């Protein structure tokens, strides 16, 4: 079954997405997510100019061979643009294979290992009352685990915190767009935010103490430090949060310098999650073999697709490390659906991030997965269970948007 067409579709229904649609000679289509927040057009060009010409005429069923062909054949390996492109091809081919088989994709990955995926939502607020309201709203929506982010005294805005002040500056051009749907602001250049590490380290433990006092000891709580800390600062934060029994502490220090996580591990028993900026299995070798982390954060979209991420999870399982797949709204519903099918099948599932896409996004991406009782569940439609409405998508053209950059109080750039 040969590939006859591959279309790169760029649209912005609430935020920017890059979608690859592969079509076979039999008319079967498959979708893959190639979205790379703030660098969408780079991936679209890589796909259109370098990858699509290589796909025409290839066997759509030869998923592993195509993965290796695209990875090894370019000579320049790895990197987010390359791996997001390979991920889109790989996911689309899995979608096609499952449709031809007449089965939901998870059945081709070994079938169910669980009934659904426990997820966590993003609760945040500039101050405690707003944060408590956000947590309560998430619990009422059915979430059974929440990530807690809060404003820092003295800072006008903090990345990852959805508040009325942020929403006004916010992100999408649609009427339903909110900061927590799209933290990448619509502008020609990134927004700059100030950061104060000492204020953050003082404030964070008081927030989690207040949350535990309000919501009790059973609710799984997560927190993201967004790569902002040095190793010793990360160790200090992990230790200070131990009394509040976090499910995990995420991205405590820039992930490129893996050896420094030994320092963090020496000083805290708070579980650590890392990897959303990693692209391949080789990025994890030291972290796995020295058991420096507890959860893998890579998404299907940025780690070489289902084939690439499945290898990472199999490697992690050897060291009793679990999945914690990245799932904000800069992963499209196609990428989320792929993560759900993979998460249902793997033995070492941990938790799935689930930031709900906006209604505008779902006008373009029609999905069959469901959220109930704190869990995501795949539909039983053949393939991924996602359709792309190109006619609707064309009414939402690309518009430049960037995640914010941080500066310390002295004006210097902050390494995060």
């Amino acid at each position: 079954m040969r590939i006859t067409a591959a279309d790169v579709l760029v649209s912005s229904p609430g935020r920017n997405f890059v979608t690859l649609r592969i079509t076979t000679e039999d008319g079967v289509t498959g979708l893959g997510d190639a979205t790379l927040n703030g660098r969408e057009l780079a991936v679209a060009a890589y796909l259109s100019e370098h990858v699509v010409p290589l796909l025409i005429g290839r066997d759509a069923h030869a998923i592993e061979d195509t993965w290796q062909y695209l990875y090894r054949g370019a000579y320049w390996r790895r990197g987010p643009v390359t791996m997001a492109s390979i991920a889109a091809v790989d996911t689309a081919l899995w979608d096609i294979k499952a449709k031809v088989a007449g089965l939901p994709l998870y059945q081709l990955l070994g079938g169910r290992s669980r009934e659904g995926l426990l997820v966590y939502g993003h609760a945040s607020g500039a101050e405690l009352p707003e944060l408590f309201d956000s947590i309560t709203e998430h619990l009422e929506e059915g979430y059974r685990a929440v990530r807690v982010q809060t404003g820092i005294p003295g800072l006008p805005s903090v990345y990852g915190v959805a508040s009325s002040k942020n929403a006004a500056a916010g992100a999408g051009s649609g009427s339903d767009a909110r900061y927590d749907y799209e933290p990448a602001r619509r502008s020609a250049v990134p927004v700059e935010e100030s950061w104060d590490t000492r204020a953050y380290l003082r404030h964070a433990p008081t927030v989690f103490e207040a949350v535990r006092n309000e919501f009790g000891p059973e609710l799984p709580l997560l927190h993201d430090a967004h790569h902002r800390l040095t190793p010793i600062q990360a160790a200090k934060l992990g230790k200070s949060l131990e009394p509040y029994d976090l499910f995990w502490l995420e991205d405590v220090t820039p992930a490129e310098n893996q050896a420094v996580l030994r320092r963090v591990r020496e000083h805290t028993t708070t579980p650590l999650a890392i990897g959303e900026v990693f692209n391949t299995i080789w990025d994890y070798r030291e972290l796995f073999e020295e058991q420096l982390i507890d959860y893998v954060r890579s998404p299907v979209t940025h780690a070489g697709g289902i084939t690439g991420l499945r290898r990472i999870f199999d490697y992690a399982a050897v060291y009793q490390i679990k999945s914690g797949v990245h799932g904000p709204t800069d992963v499209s519903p196609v990428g989320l659906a792929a993560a759900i099918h993979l998460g249902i099948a793997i033995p070492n599932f941990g938790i799935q991030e689930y930031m709900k896409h906006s209604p505008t996004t779902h006008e373009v991406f029609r999905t069959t997965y469901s959220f109930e009782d704190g869990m995501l569940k795949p539909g039983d439609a053949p393939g991924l269970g996602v359709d792309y409405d190109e006619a609707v998508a064309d009414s939402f053209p690309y518009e430049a948007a960037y995640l914010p950059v941080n500066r310390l109080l002295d004006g210097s750039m902050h390494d995060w």
Side-chain angles (χ1 to χ4, degrees):
M1 188 170 63
R2 300 294 167 181
I3 296 170
T4 56
D7 302 298
V8 181
L9 310 168
V10 180
S11 62
S12 191
R15 58 141 296 112
N16 294 319
F17 297 109
V18 180
T19 306
L20 178 68
R21 183 180 61 210
I22 294 177
T23 305
T24 72
E25 59 190 346
D26 300 324
V28 182
T29 61
L31 297 176
D33 180 22
T35 306
L36 187 63
N37 200 334
R39 296 295 184 268
E40 296 92 351
L41 298 185
V43 184
Y46 188 93
L47 280 168
S48 297
E49 297 171 15
H50 303 291
V51 175
V52 167
L54 305 178
L55 296 177
I56 307 304
R58 290 188 65 83
D59 181 1
H61 282 309
I63 297 176
E64 180 65 35
D65 185 67
T66 298
W67 197 100
Q68 297 295 339
Y69 176 70
L70 295 176
Y71 182 81
R72 300 184 187 191
Y75 183 79
W76 306 108
R77 302 182 181 184
R78 307 166 73 179
V81 172
T82 294
M83 298 310 293
S85 299
I86 292 175
V89 175
D90 183 80
T91 302
L93 294 181
W94 276 109
D95 191 18
I96 288 170
K97 186 179 284 287
K99 286 178 178 176
V100 171
L103 295 170
L105 177 57
Y106 69 83
Q107 294 289 13
L108 273 63
L109 302 176
R112 288 181 180 268
S113 289
R114 57 196 51 80
E115 289 303 310
L117 306 185
L118 176 67
V119 303
Y120 70 91
H122 291 196
S124 66
E127 297 176 348
L128 284 177
E130 191 175 45
L131 173 62
F132 287 0
D133 288 344
S134 181
I135 295 173
T136 299
E137 289 171 7
H138 278 78
L139 295 178
E140 290 173 348
E141 289 176 10
Y143 285 93
R144 292 189 285 164
V146 292
R147 192 187 80 169
V148 172
Q149 307 292 133
T150 182
I152 308 300
L155 299 183
S157 63
V158 175
Y159 172 69
V161 176
S163 70
S164 56
K165 286 182 287 187
N166 287 336
S173 54
S175 61
D176 58 81
R178 288 176 41 176
Y179 181 83
D180 52 342
Y181 278 139
E182 175 51 285
R185 322 286 178 84
R186 305 284 190 175
S187 63
V189 296
V191 171
E192 296 189 6
E193 294 183 342
S194 299
W195 180 251
D196 185 340
T197 303
R198 287 173 56 83
Y200 167 67
L201 292 176
R202 289 193 301 269
H203 187 60
T206 68
V207 171
F208 279 91
E209 180 180 25
V211 170
R212 279 293 181 220
N213 287 339
E214 181 72 15
F215 294 95
E218 296 301 322
L219 178 64
L221 301 177
L222 304 87
H223 180 65
D224 191 346
H226 290 118
H227 314 275
R228 290 183 173 118
L229 307 177
T230 65
I232 198 65
Q233 290 167 345
K236 181 178 181 180
L237 177 64
K239 192 169 186 64
S240 70
L241 294 178
E242 283 179 10
Y244 312 112
D245 188 26
L246 267 63
F247 187 97
W248 80 34
L249 178 59
E250 179 184 347
D251 288 343
V252 287
T253 193
E256 302 95 313
N257 190 2
Q258 298 185 6
V260 301
L261 284 165
R262 298 177 192 141
R263 176 72 57 85
V264 183
R265 269 291 206 229
E266 289 171 358
H267 291 282
T268 182
T269 58
T270 298
L272 302 176
I274 215 161
E276 68 184 59
V277 299
F278 290 171
N279 311 123
T280 71
I281 193 169
W282 293 279
D283 295 318
Y284 285 100
R285 184 187 62 79
E286 189 173 0
L287 298 179
F288 287 173
E289 293 180 0
E290 296 193 33
Q291 300 185 65
L292 299 179
I293 62 172
D294 302 281
Y295 295 93
V296 171
R297 292 285 290 131
S298 289
V300 171
T301 303
H302 302 144
I306 291 167
T307 298
L309 191 55
R310 180 63 183 262
R311 287 198 188 99
I312 292 172
F313 289 151
D314 287 344
Y315 187 17
V318 175
Y319 300 97
Q320 297 177 291
I321 296 169
K322 296 185 176 182
S323 73
V325 172
H326 190 49
T329 51
D330 57 12
V331 170
S332 86
V334 174
L336 178 60
I340 296 169
H341 283 276
L342 183 57
I344 283 287
I346 61 173
N348 55 327
F349 173 80
I351 200 168
Q352 169 69 49
E353 182 176 13
Y354 180 44
M355 182 187 253
K356 293 182 179 180
H357 289 99
S358 70
T360 303
T361 298
H362 282 291
E363 290 179 24
V364 172
F365 297 91
R366 312 289 175 78
T367 63
T368 58
Y369 56 74
S370 62
F371 173 64
E372 55 184 282
D373 193 28
M375 295 192 295
L376 279 170
K377 298 181 180 182
D380 286 323
L384 287 171
V386 181
D387 291 322
Y388 184 89
D389 192 324
E390 189 172 1
V392 176
D394 287 345
S395 64
F396 298 103
Y398 170 85
E399 184 181 354
Y402 295 94
L403 296 174
V405 297
N406 273 213
R407 290 188 182 274
L408 298 175
L409 297 183
D410 66 2
S412 61
M413 289 295 297
H414 188 261
D415 181 10
W416 74 311

